[in-house]
C-alpha cells in the first residue's frame, strides 16, 4: 500500500492480539486499536511470563545464577551464558585459557545459527509458508545434536564456567561441525531459492515494516533490526570481547530499513557465523579449558561491572553491583528484544494487520527474554 | 418425472459418499503430500501408511462436544456449516463424470454451479457474523471481498468457453473436446476456439480463481492462522468445524471438475478413443485429471507463503479481470472471423 490512509479515531475497535495468538510466539499481548484492518495504534502489554530473574540474582550465589541465563533467551542461550561468564570474569579478574575462548566462540556461533534457523522457519510460518519450518528444524537438529554431545543439554545450555568450560570438545564434535558447515552452506543456497526468491515473500517484505535509523537509535534497537536499518553496530566488532578480533568476518548491514532488509541481514549472518566457526576450528589451540588458578568462592570486589555480548537478537548487556558478598547486590539485564519490541508500537501505526504481524515476525521476538 | 426424482436422490446419496470419501482421503493425501515436501513421513500410526487416520479423525470430530459460545447468534451460528457443505453437494448433481454417469444434466449446469458456489461463500459471511468474534468478523469480510473479486474473472472466463461451445450444459461443453488432447479447450489450436492464443492464460486464470474461491493457500486469507487465529471458524468445534473442513475439500473437487470439464476435455482419453479399455473415453480419465489438479493444489499450498488481502484483490482487479475481459472480447471477435 503506497498511499497513506486516513484513519479515524471514532471508528475504531480494540483487537486483542495475544497473549494466546499464533503470531506472537509466546505470551506477548498487543492491544491494537483498529480502524477496519488498519492499525490506529498499538500497545504492547508485557508481564505474562515475568519470572523475576533479576531479583533471583540477588538471592543466589554467582555460580547458582548461571543456569538462569539459559532460561532468558532459550534460542540463543549460549550467548547469554557468555555474557554472564564475561562480566564475572572481568569483575574477579579470572584469566580464560585460549582453548576455552575458541570453544566458546564455536559454540556461541553454532547457537546463533540455530537461533536464526528457528527465526527463519517461524517467520515463514507467520507468512503462511509451512514447509521451510520443517527444513529449518531439520538443520537445527544437527546443531542441537552437536551441542548436546558437548554440553549435555539441547536448549537451555549451561556450558560455560567462570574462567572456562564445563568440559572439553572431542574429535567427534570437530568432524561433526565440519560436516555441518558443508551441509549448511548447501542448505543456505536452498533457502535462497525456496524463500528469498519467492515472489510472494518479496512482495510482502519489501517496503513493509519500515524502521529508520533514527527510530532504532531512539528505542535502542540493536542486532539485525538495527543492522537492517543501516546502523553498523555489532558488539563483536565495536567492543570486541573474547577472541573475536582474531577472526576475519563481516558484519552484514543493509540500508533497506524494511522487513526484507532484516531478513537478508539474518541470512547473511548465518554465512558469517559459518565462516567464524570454520576459522576457529582451524586455529583451535591445544591446552586446558579451565584456568589453573581460580578462586574457590566467587566474591567480586565491591564495584559496578558491565559486559556486553552480541546475542542472536542484538546487544545483550549485563551489569551488576557487588557489595563484596557472595551474591550480587543488584543485577540488571539489558536484553535485545526488549528494546527491539518497543519499536513496534510506533512503527506499526497505519499498517494493515497482516503487514504488522509480518513486521513483528521480522523483529525476531523471544518473549521470555523480553519479559524477564 | 418420478424417475428423475429417484435419479436425483440417488445422485445426492452418491455425491455425499463421494464427497465424504474424497474429503476424508484428500486430507490424508494432503498430509502425506505435506510430509513428502517436508522430509517427514506424515501420518503413520493408524493402519498401514496411516490409511485409517481419516475415519478415526472423523469419529473424533463427531464425538467431540459441540461448543456454542455465549452471546452468539445461535440460529446463524448453526446454519453456517450446513450452508458450507450443502451447496457443494448439490453442485455434484449436474457434473458429468462421463457421458453416461451424470445425475441430472441440467441445461444451465454452469450457471447452477456458480449460483451454488456463491451460496457457499455466503456461509463464510454468516459464520463470521454469527460467531461474535472480531477475528471471525475480519475473516468473513475478507472472504466476501475475496469471493466477489474472484468470481468475476472466473465467470468471464467461463463465459468465453460457453461462447465457444454454445451451451451451458456441462456435457455439451465436453463433447467437442473429445478425441485427443489436441482438441481440449486449453490449446489455441483448433477452429472452435478461433485459434485464440490466450486460451492457456484463461486456464491459468481459472486455476488461480479456483484456488482463491476455495480459500486455499496462498489465498487462504479467510483462515490465515497467523493473523486471524482460525478465521471464520475460530469459534467452531466438533462437527461444525468438520463440516467447514469437508465443504472446503468438496469445493476443491468441484473446482477441479469445472477446470477439467471446461478446459481439459472432461472424460476424454488424451490420446483419442483407441477402443481398448483404459484408452477409451471413460470416467477414469476424468478422475485422473481432477486428482492431478488437486495434487497441484496441494503442491502449491505447501510451497508458497500466504499473500495479503490487498495483494489478492490487486491481482484480481488489476490483472485477472482485465485479461479475462480482453480474452472474452478477443474470443468473440475470433469466433466471428473464423
Amino acid at each position: 500500500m503506497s498511499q497513506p490512509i486516513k484513519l479515524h479515531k471514532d471508528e475504531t475497535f480494540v483487537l486483542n492480539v495475544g497473549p494466546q495468538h499464533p503470531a506472537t510466539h509466546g505470551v506477548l499481548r498487543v492491544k491494537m486499536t483498529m480502524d477496519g484492518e488498519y492499525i490506529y495504534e498499538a500497545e504492547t502489554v508485557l508481564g505474562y511470563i515475568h519470572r523475576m530473574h533479576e531479583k533471583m540474582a540477588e538471592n543466589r550465589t554467582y555460580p547458582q545464577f548461571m543456569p538462569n541465563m539459559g532460561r532468558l533467551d532459550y534460542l540463543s542461550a549460549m550467548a547469554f551464558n557468555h555474557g554472564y561468564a564475561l562480566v564475572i570474569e572481568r569483575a574477579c579478574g579470572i584469566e580464560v585459557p585460549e582453548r576455552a575462548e575458541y570453544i566458546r566462540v564455536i559454540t556461541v556461533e553454532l547457537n546463533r545459527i540455530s537461533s536464526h534457523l528457528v527465526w527463519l522457519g517461524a517467520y515463514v510460518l507467520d507468512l503462511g509458508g509451512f514447509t521451510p519450518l520443517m527444513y529449518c528444524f531439520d538443520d537445527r537438529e544437527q546443531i542441537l545434536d552437536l551441542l548436546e554431545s558437548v554440553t549435555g543439554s539441547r536448549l537451555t545450555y549451561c556450558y560455560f564456567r567462570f574462567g572456562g568450560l564445563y568440559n572439553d570438545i572431542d574429535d567427534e564434535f570437530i568432524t561433526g561441525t565440519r560436516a555441518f558447515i558443508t551441509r549448511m552452506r548447501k542448505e543456505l543456497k536452498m533457502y535462497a531459492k525456496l524463500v528469498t526468491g519467492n515472489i510472494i515473500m518479496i512482495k510482502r517484505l519489501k517496503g513493509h515494516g519500515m524502521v529508520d535509523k533514527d527510530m532504532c537509535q531512539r528505542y535502542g534497537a540493536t542486532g539485525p533490526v538495527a543492522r537492517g536499518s543501516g546502523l553498523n553496530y555489532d558488539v563483536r566488532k565495536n567492543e570486541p570481547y573474547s577472541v573475536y578480533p582474531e577472526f576475519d568476518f563481516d558484519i552484514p548491514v543493509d540500508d533497506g530499513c524494511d522487513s526484507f532488509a532484516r531478513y537478508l541481514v539474518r541470512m547473511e549472518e548465518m554465512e558469517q557465523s559459518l565462516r567464524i566457526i570454520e576459522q576457529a576450528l582451524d586455529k583451535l589451540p591445544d591446552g586446558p579449558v579451565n584456568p589453573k588458578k581460580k578462586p574457590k568462592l566467587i566474591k567480586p570486589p565491591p564495584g559496578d561491572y558491565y559486559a556486553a555480548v552480541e546475542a542472536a537478537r542484538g546487544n545483550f548487556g549485563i551489569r551488576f553491583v557487588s557489595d563484596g558478598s557472595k551474591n550480587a547486590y543488584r543485577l540488571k539485564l539489558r536484553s535485545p528484544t526488549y528494546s527491539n519490541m518497543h519499536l513496534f508500537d510506533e512503527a506499526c501505526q497505519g499498517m494493515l494487520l497482516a503487514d504488522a504481524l509480518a513486521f513483528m515476525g521480522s523483529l525476531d521476538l523471544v518473549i521470555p527474554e523480553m519479559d524477564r | 418425472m418420478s424417475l428423475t426424482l429417484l435419479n436425483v436422490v440417488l445422485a445426492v446419496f452418491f455425491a455425499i459418499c463421494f464427497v465424504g470419501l474424497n474429503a476424508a482421503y484428500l486430507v490424508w493425501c494432503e498430509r502425506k503430500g505435506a510430509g513428502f515436501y517436508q522430509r517427514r513421513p506424515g501420518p503413520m500410526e493408524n493402519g498401514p501408511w496411516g490409511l485409517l487416520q481419516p475415519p478415526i479423525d472423523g469419529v473424533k470430530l463427531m464425538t467431540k462436544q459441540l461448543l456454542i459460545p455465549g452471546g452468539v447468534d445461535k440460529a446463524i451460528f448453526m446454519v453456517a456449516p450446513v450452508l458450507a457443505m450443502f451447496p457443494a453437494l448439490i453442485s455434484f448433481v449436474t457434473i458429468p463424470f462421463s457421458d453416461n454417469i451424470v445425475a441430472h444434466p441440467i441445461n444451465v449446469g454452469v450457471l447452477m454451479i456458480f449460483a451454488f458456489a456463491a451460496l457457499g461463500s455466503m456461509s463464510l459471511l454468516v459464520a463470521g457474523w454469527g460467531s461474535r468474534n472480531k477475528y471471525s468478523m475480519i475473516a468473513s469480510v475478507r472472504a466476501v471481498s475475496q469471493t466477489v473479486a474472484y468470481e468475476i474473472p472466473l465467470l468471464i472466463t467461463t463465459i468465453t468457453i460457453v461462447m465457444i461451445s454454445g451451451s451451458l450444459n456441462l456435457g455439451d461443453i465436453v463433447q467437442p473436446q473429445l478425441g485427443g488432447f489436441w482438441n481440449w479447450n486449453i490449446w489455441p489450436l483448433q477452429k472452435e476456439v478461433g485459434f485464440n492464443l490466450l486460451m492457456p492464460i484463461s486456464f491459468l486464470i481459472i486455476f488461480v480463481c479456483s484456488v482463491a474461491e476455495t480459500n486455499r493457500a496462498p489465498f487462504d486469507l479467510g483462515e490465515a492462522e497467523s493473523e486471524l487465529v482460525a478465521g471464520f471458524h475460530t469459534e467452531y468445534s466438533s462437527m461444525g468445524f468438520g463440516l467447514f473442513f469437508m465443504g472446503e475439500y468438496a469445493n476443491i473437487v468441484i473446482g477441479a471438475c469445472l477446470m477439467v470439464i471446461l478446459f481439459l476435455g472432461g472424460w476424454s482419453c488424451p490420446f483419442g478413443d483407441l477402443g481398448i479399455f483404459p484408452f477409451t473415453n471413460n470416467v477414469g480419465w476424468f478422475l485422473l485429471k481432477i486428482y492431478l489438479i488437486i495434487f497441484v493444489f496441494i503442491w502449491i499450498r505447501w510451497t508458497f507463503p500466504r499473500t495479503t488481502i490487498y495483494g489478492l484483490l490487486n491481482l484480481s482487479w488489476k490483472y485477472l479481470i482485465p485479461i479475462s475481459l480482453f480474452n472474452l472480447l478477443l474470443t468473440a471477435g475470433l469466433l466471428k472471423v473464423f
Side-chain angles (χ1 to χ4, degrees):
Chain A
M1 298 312 282
S2 47
Q3 69 272 42
I5 305 285
K6 202 165 175 245
L7 302 178
H8 305 281
K9 172 79 182 134
D10 50 344
E11 288 174 12
T12 55
F13 64 95
V14 175
L15 187 71
N16 194 20
V17 180
Q20 300 286 337
H21 188 281
T24 57
H25 299 294
V27 284
L28 175 72
R29 178 177 166 217
V30 188
K31 254 171 80 181
M32 288 180 178
T33 310
M34 314 271 296
D35 181 359
E37 274 206 54
Y38 287 94
I39 296 171
Y40 183 77
E41 59 186 11
E43 187 193 343
T44 320
V45 185
L46 294 180
Y48 287 92
I49 191 163
H50 194 71
R51 291 145 300 159
M52 297 200 289
H53 277 295
E54 289 172 11
K55 196 73 186 164
M56 272 189 230
E58 295 168 21
N59 301 315
R60 294 181 172 195
T61 61
Y62 291 101
Q64 275 176 342
F65 188 60
M66 192 64 158
N68 283 44
M69 285 294 131
R71 271 80 182 164
L72 291 170
D73 184 345
Y74 50 79
L75 293 178
S76 74
M78 211 61 101
F80 278 59
N81 274 276
H82 198 179
Y84 186 58
L86 208 63
V87 74
I88 300 292
E89 282 152 13
R90 277 185 195 169
C92 300
I94 304 171
E95 283 279 314
V96 186
E98 184 91 324
R99 185 176 170 86
E101 290 280 27
Y102 274 82
I103 296 172
R104 280 183 179 185
V105 167
I106 293 170
T107 50
V108 166
E109 294 303 323
L110 275 176
N111 197 205
R112 189 188 310 280
I113 296 172
S114 80
S115 168
H116 280 347
L117 280 174
V118 175
W119 162 80
L120 175 64
Y123 189 37
V124 183
L125 187 66
D126 273 355
L127 299 173
F130 273 95
T131 304
L133 178 82
M134 294 293 165
Y135 292 176
C136 291
F137 270 64
D138 190 9
D139 293 337
R140 176 173 173 260
E141 196 63 26
Q142 317 297 321
I143 300 180
L144 294 192
D145 286 345
L146 284 172
L147 290 180
E148 187 188 12
S149 70
V150 290
T151 68
S153 46
R154 290 167 65 83
L155 196 67
T156 50
Y157 310 107
C158 187
Y159 181 49
F160 297 170
R161 298 288 180 270
F162 303 135
L165 302 167
Y166 160 61
N167 64 7
D168 201 353
I169 57 173
D170 49 11
D171 288 340
E172 206 179 317
F173 176 83
I174 294 172
T175 48
T177 311
R178 283 194 194 281
F180 171 75
I181 292 171
T182 340
R183 177 200 161 109
M184 193 62 209
R185 291 224 160 103
K186 235 184 267 163
E187 294 284 301
L188 279 172
K189 280 195 194 110
M190 193 268 288
Y191 292 132
K193 258 196 234 160
L194 180 68
V195 185
T196 319
N198 188 308
I199 177 116
I200 299 176
M201 276 296 277
I202 295 171
K203 280 221 162 165
R204 287 204 62 179
L205 300 188
K206 262 209 174 132
H208 293 295
M210 301 302 278
V211 176
D212 57 14
K213 230 182 214 178
D214 170 61
M215 203 193 276
C216 282
Q217 279 166 339
R218 270 192 290 124
Y219 283 95
T222 48
V225 177
R227 289 196 283 276
S229 300
L231 274 174
N232 191 353
Y233 175 74
D234 188 307
V235 187
R236 288 174 295 177
K237 284 268 188 204
N238 293 51
E239 305 158 37
Y241 56 96
S242 194
V243 283
Y244 278 109
E246 291 174 27
F247 302 122
D248 172 33
F249 65 102
D250 303 322
I251 302 299
V253 178
D254 198 306
D255 290 325
C257 298
D258 52 8
S259 300
F260 198 61
R262 291 187 281 278
Y263 170 85
L264 289 179
V265 165
R266 287 203 182 87
M267 295 305 277
E268 182 58 31
E269 257 175 37
M270 284 198 251
E271 300 255 20
Q272 296 301 330
S273 289
L274 288 176
R275 264 179 80 190
I276 297 174
I277 297 167
E278 208 167 35
Q279 292 171 45
L281 285 175
D282 290 341
K283 289 185 185 171
L284 188 68
D286 288 329
V289 292
N290 275 309
K292 286 193 198 86
K293 233 175 66 196
K294 192 174 151 186
K296 276 236 166 69
L297 195 62
I298 304 286
K299 267 189 181 177
D304 196 338
Y305 305 97
Y306 179 77
V309 292
E310 183 73 20
R313 283 157 193 79
N315 180 347
F316 169 62
I318 180 160
R319 178 187 175 187
F320 75 98
V321 177
S322 167
D323 54 2
S325 65
K326 63 185 191 312
N327 40 22
Y329 175 73
R330 173 81 172 91
L331 184 134
K332 167 83 181 112
L333 304 165
R334 185 244 178 254
S335 62
T337 43
Y338 184 79
S339 312
N340 292 358
M341 176 65 212
H342 283 86
L343 290 167
F344 184 78
D345 292 3
E346 188 182 324
C348 77
Q349 279 176 20
M351 270 189 202
L352 281 160
L353 179 64
D355 287 337
L357 292 175
F359 166 48
M360 189 194 269
S362 79
L363 295 176
D364 193 7
L365 306 176
V366 169
I367 314 299
E369 177 227 292
M370 195 152 64
D371 207 1
R372 300 175 293 275
Chain B
M1 186 64 208
S2 62
L3 198 67
T4 318
L5 192 69
L6 186 73
N7 218 349
V8 169
V9 169
L10 266 177
V12 170
F13 174 72
F14 281 114
I16 291 173
C17 295
F18 182 69
V19 169
L21 268 177
N22 256 310
Y25 277 91
L26 280 180
V27 175
W28 180 84
C29 290
E30 174 117 51
R31 291 173 65 181
K32 277 286 180 195
F36 171 69
Y37 290 117
Q38 298 176 347
R39 301 178 186 166
R40 60 191 175 85
M44 288 295 278
E45 291 299 317
N46 299 312
W49 308 290
L51 269 171
L52 288 179
Q53 191 66 44
I56 288 172
D57 280 346
V59 170
K60 186 207 78 173
L61 277 174
M62 276 185 261
T63 50
K64 266 190 155 181
Q65 187 190 1
L66 182 62
L67 202 84
I68 300 176
V72 301
D73 193 329
K74 218 169 170 180
I76 288 185
F77 185 79
M78 297 292 277
V79 88
V82 182
L83 210 55
M85 190 64 201
F86 161 76
L89 284 179
I90 294 292
S91 299
F92 275 101
V93 168
T94 184
I95 287 178
F97 287 84
S98 83
D99 48 1
N100 46 15
I101 306 179
V102 52
H104 192 64
I106 301 167
N107 273 336
V108 288
V110 179
L111 207 62
M112 183 184 138
I113 285 181
F114 280 109
F116 280 109
L119 203 63
S121 55
M122 215 178 85
S123 77
L124 311 186
L125 174 67
V126 167
W129 180 257
S131 290
R132 200 168 181 263
N133 179 318
K134 286 168 190 165
Y135 290 114
S136 306
M137 191 64 227
I138 296 176
S140 62
V141 171
R142 278 184 181 188
V144 170
S145 50
Q146 180 178 339
T147 315
V148 170
Y150 277 85
E151 287 215 325
I152 298 171
L154 192 62
L155 271 169
I156 295 173
T157 314
T158 314
I159 290 170
T160 320
I161 298 294
V162 169
M163 275 184 356
I164 290 163
S165 52
S167 170
L168 280 168
N169 187 329
L170 290 168
D172 293 349
I173 292 175
V174 176
Q175 284 305 332
Q177 300 183 56
L178 296 177
F181 66 88
W182 49 90
N183 281 343
W184 296 353
N185 281 340
I186 187 173
W187 308 117
L189 299 173
Q190 65 276 52
K191 197 170 174 302
E192 284 77 21
V193 297
F195 306 102
N196 186 348
L197 289 172
L198 279 178
M199 285 324 270
I201 294 173
S202 357
F203 176 72
L204 206 66
I205 290 174
I206 217 164
F207 185 81
V208 171
C209 292
S210 299
V211 178
E213 270 276 298
T214 47
N215 280 315
R216 297 246 332 159
F219 302 123
D220 56 343
L221 297 154
E223 45 198 298
E225 73 285 322
S226 57
E227 297 152 24
L228 302 176
V229 189
F232 56 84
H233 60 67
T234 305
E235 297 290 353
Y236 284 90
S237 56
S238 178
M239 217 45 209
F241 165 74
L243 279 179
F244 273 120
F245 210 60
M246 278 173 74
E248 185 189 320
Y249 282 96
N251 279 324
I252 294 168
V253 176
I254 289 178
C257 287
L258 209 60
M259 268 184 269
V260 168
I261 289 167
L262 295 182
F263 282 95
L264 299 179
W267 59 86
S268 74
C269 172
F271 317 106
D273 200 336
L274 301 181
I276 318 153
F277 168 61
F279 300 105
T280 54
N281 297 332
N282 63 47
V283 63
W285 289 109
F286 188 83
L287 293 178
L288 184 72
K289 285 172 195 168
I290 65 171
Y291 288 125
L292 267 177
I293 286 180
I294 291 168
F295 170 72
V296 178
F297 270 50
I298 293 174
W299 184 8
I300 287 176
R301 172 164 178 191
W302 296 106
T303 308
F304 285 112
R306 183 182 303 121
T307 56
T308 49
I309 183 74
Y310 56 83
L312 181 86
L313 296 180
N314 280 346
L315 178 69
S316 172
W317 292 103
K318 287 186 182 165
Y319 302 100
L320 297 187
I321 292 179
I323 293 173
S324 51
L325 268 176
F326 177 72
N327 188 29
L328 180 69
L329 209 69
L330 189 72
T331 313
L334 286 171
L335 284 176
K336 252 312 179 238
V337 172
F338 291 101

